[in-house]
Amino acid sequence: MKRKFEVLIGVLVFLVFVTLIFTGKIDLHSGDWQKIRCEAKDRAINEEISGVVIKSYRDMDNHNSKTVEFESFGKMKKTLILHLEVSGIHEELVEGDSILKPKGQLKFFLIRDGNTRELMLDFDCDQP
């Protein structure tokens, strides 16, 4: 009986760990984590986004990356800049939202039902 209980506890701990990994609560990236986050911040600063959200999801085929598909000037585009972003903007996006992120800054504008929210991308990077 004790052995079955130990196995059950082990399986539960494993399932919780795997769930945390797939929900993005635990990241298992190798290398210098701070450097990776700061590089993601730099890429985000240099990207411009303007369009209407078609789909916002985690791409299981691409390392569970936070992905946003949007339409911009009649063309379908995809961005991964929110993958390492930690403020939760990705979770707020829904189909039909208008989004704008000017090049050269971390301001992110979310327009829904005529209301504009100014958000700030956060990559948990200590470098200026």
Side-chain angles (χ1 to χ4, degrees):
M1 184 71 167
K2 183 179 176 185
R3 178 73 178 141
K4 287 183 181 179
F5 182 71
E6 289 173 349
V7 170
L8 178 62
I9 294 297
V11 168
L12 289 174
V13 168
F14 175 76
L15 290 174
V16 167
F17 183 71
V18 169
T19 301
L20 291 173
I21 290 172
F22 281 109
T23 59
K25 304 294 184 198
I26 296 177
D27 289 315
L28 299 177
H29 296 283
S30 61
D32 181 7
W33 191 238
Q34 186 67 20
K35 181 180 176 187
I36 291 169
R37 288 196 171 278
C38 292
E39 288 171 353
K41 176 183 173 184
D42 292 340
R43 281 192 304 275
I45 287 172
N46 290 315
E47 186 166 338
E48 179 179 8
I49 297 174
S50 176
V52 176
V53 174
I54 302 299
K55 190 175 179 183
S56 178
Y57 59 97
R58 285 190 171 267
D59 189 349
M60 296 298 188
D61 293 333
N62 189 15
H63 308 286
N64 202 28
S65 296
K66 296 175 190 172
T67 306
V68 178
E69 293 180 11
F70 61 99
E71 183 177 350
S72 180
F73 301 107
K75 294 183 180 179
M76 295 297 296
K77 296 186 176 185
K78 185 186 289 190
T79 184
L80 300 173
I81 68 162
L82 298 178
H83 176 55
L84 295 176
E85 201 277 334
V86 297
S87 74
I89 292 172
H90 180 262
E91 288 77 17
E92 291 189 44
L93 297 177
V94 296
E95 182 179 337
D97 286 346
S98 293
I99 54 175
L100 172 67
K101 200 227 58 80
K103 186 174 184 170
Q105 51 187 290
L106 292 173
K107 288 182 183 177
F108 189 95
F109 298 92
L110 171 61
I111 304 149
R112 181 183 298 154
D113 299 327
N115 298 315
T116 302
R117 291 176 49 207
E118 180 179 323
L119 307 165
M120 189 62 73
L121 295 174
D122 180 8
F123 291 90
D124 197 24
C125 170
D126 295 333
Q127 298 174 359

